[in-house]
């Protein structure tokens, strides 16, 4: 059976905490539990809304084939449900609503990566769970954060059916714009040609003229193909100025060295060039995170050592973690991330297809599906990644297709007051490296600003009324 702490966390995640409106001199906020998750008739009496368990958490079901949803899925209020039945019933006095759609189990399945625990055999050549093997992709809702849709539907029920008024409750506001925007850049290839090793590569391996190889390797930093930092830091900073530094964060993830072939090219953390890049980042107010090596994704016990290396050379604690190539392979591996002192992970996106890997566009605490342990490690959904969109082995989109998909995901994230996280590499923001990633990135930043301005104007026009939440009608799912 589901632990009460996780049950309450999921309910709060869906609808937010509810408080009884204070009367007179009452200054203390008193919580009110409006939603119960039980089949016990006596316990049901305490809640205005009941969600009936489907049996997913029963010992005879959890971890067995009975716990895995079968396609096609049914829909409750236009939203796919993984467990339970899409029906509701009121009591005779219409004061209590019983929901047979098991929204708690459906939410748990998605935010805990239960599917990745259950389908251990589904891994790509890098050991990652493929997005195209996931239930959300196969069921056609990967581009819909259905966990947030569940929450919006429940909040609408509480508001529209009079539960808030009847019990004198106050519900937190969720405005239709971004709660935060993370503009993240992985320093996997901070330079193309720098130093004697690059000279030898250009001359001997790439058969460049020795004079050209010298010029490539020892020219000014700004002449290197991958030196796009001043350009995109200027774009990022302008968006931060528009939305405010309490909501927009620029983050660099510095990759830790290893001898694994997939961690090439290797650069040393004492590199003078790297420190010039980081000095420029510091002037721009960039937060530095740790990108652990691909090797540590295969052997997670290395994460603690890589954190010590980061702190020894950069002389500050890392502000979050991300895995190289998004190779956070097994759900339980996140426990090592937690025990290594990290409280924020920015890896949670599929490498091969864009969408909402955890079923939500909002940060959510890591729950270990093996043990049903709730931790304080916060998982930040990765909304869009450059390589996922353009590489032929992944989605292989054209510019127009990538722009359309990016617009849909960005607008959806704002609609549910989500946290938008973008991952664009410095080398792909060079026109010499890729023809349209720089153009797409600027278009996304402009769209973010436009959406936020629209929400601000709408809020000003309706200042007497809280910002309305998303419509509950079903939306067409974009092409994957």
């Amino acid at each position: 059976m589901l632990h009460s702490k996780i049950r309450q966390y999921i309910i709060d995640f869906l609808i937010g905490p509810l408080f009884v409106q204070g009367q007179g001199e009452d200054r203390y906020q008193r919580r009110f539990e409006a939603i119960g998750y039980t089949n016990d008739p006596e316990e049901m009496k305490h809640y205005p809304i009941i969600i009936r368990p489907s049996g997913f958490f029963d010992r005879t079901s959890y971890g067995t084939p009975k716990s895995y949803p079968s396609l096609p899925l049914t829909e409750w209020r236009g939203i796919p449900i993984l467990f339970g039945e899409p029906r509701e019933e009121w009591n005779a006095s219409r004061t209590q609503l019983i929901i047979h759609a098991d929204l708690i189990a459906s939410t748990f399945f998605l935010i805990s990566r239960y599917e990745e625990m259950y389908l251990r055999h589904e891994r790509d050549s890098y050991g990652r769970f493929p997005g195209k093997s996931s239930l959300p992709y196969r069921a056609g809702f990967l581009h819909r954060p259905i966990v947030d849709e569940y929450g919006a539907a429940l909040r609408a029920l509480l508001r529209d059916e009079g539960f808030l008024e009847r019990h004198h409750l106050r519900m937190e506001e969720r405005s239709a714009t971004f709660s935060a925007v993370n503009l993240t850049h992985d320093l996997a290839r901070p330079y193309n040609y720098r130093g004697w090793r690059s000279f030898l590569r250009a001359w001997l391996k790439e058969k460049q003229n020795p004079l050209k190889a010298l010029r490539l390797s020892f020219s000014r930093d700004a002449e290197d193909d991958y030196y796009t930092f001043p350009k995109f830091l200027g774009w990022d900073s302008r968006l931060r100025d528009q939305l405010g530094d309490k909501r927009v964060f620029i983050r660099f993830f510095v990759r830790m060295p290893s001898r694994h072939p997939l961690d090439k090219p290797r650069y040393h953390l004492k590199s003078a060039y790297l420190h010039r890049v980081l000095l420029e980042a510091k002037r721009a107010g960039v937060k530095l995170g740790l990108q652990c090596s691909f090797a540590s994704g295969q052997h997670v016990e290395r994460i603690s050592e890589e954190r010590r290396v980061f702190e020894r050379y950069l002389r500050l604690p890392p502000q979050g973690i991300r895995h190289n190539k998004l190779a956070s392979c097994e759900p339980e591996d996140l426990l090592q991330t937690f025990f290594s002192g990290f409280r924020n992970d920015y890896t949670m996106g599929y490498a091969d297809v864009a969408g909402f890997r955890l079923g939500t566009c909002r940060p959510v605490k890591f729950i270990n599906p093996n043990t049903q342990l709730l931790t304080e490690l916060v998982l930040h959904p990765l909304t869009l990644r450059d390589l996922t969109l353009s590489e032929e082995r992944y989605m292989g989109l054209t510019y127009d297709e990538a722009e359309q998909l990016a617009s849909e995901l960005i607008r959806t994230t704002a609609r549910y007051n989500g946290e938008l996280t973008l991952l664009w590499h410095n080398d792909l923001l060079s026109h010499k490296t890729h023809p349209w990633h720089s153009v797409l990135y600027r278009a996304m930043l402009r769209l973010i600003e436009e959406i936020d301005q629209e929400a601000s104007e709408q809020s000003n026009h309706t200042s007497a009324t809280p910002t309305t939440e998303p419509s509950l009608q079903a939306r067409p799912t974009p092409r994957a």
Side-chain angles (χ1 to χ4, degrees), residues 9 19 62 78 181 212 277 285 289 293 377 427 460 473:
Y9 174 75
F19 295 99
Y62 195 86
V181 177
K212 183 179 181 180
V277 170
S293 65
L377 175 64
D427 53 314
N460 291 335
Q473 66 184 19

Side-chain angles (χ1 to χ4, degrees), residues 143-146 148-149 177-178 356 361 383 405-418 420 451 470 475 478:
H143 297 108
R144 292 173 60 182
I146 66 168
D148 301 321
E149 293 185 28
T177 189
F178 310 100
F356 299 104
C361 58
T383 317
L405 177 58
S407 176
E408 290 167 350
L409 294 179
I410 290 171
R411 289 187 181 279
T412 298
T413 300
R415 185 181 303 128
Y416 292 99
N417 194 218
L420 181 70
I451 291 171
R475 298 183 179 85

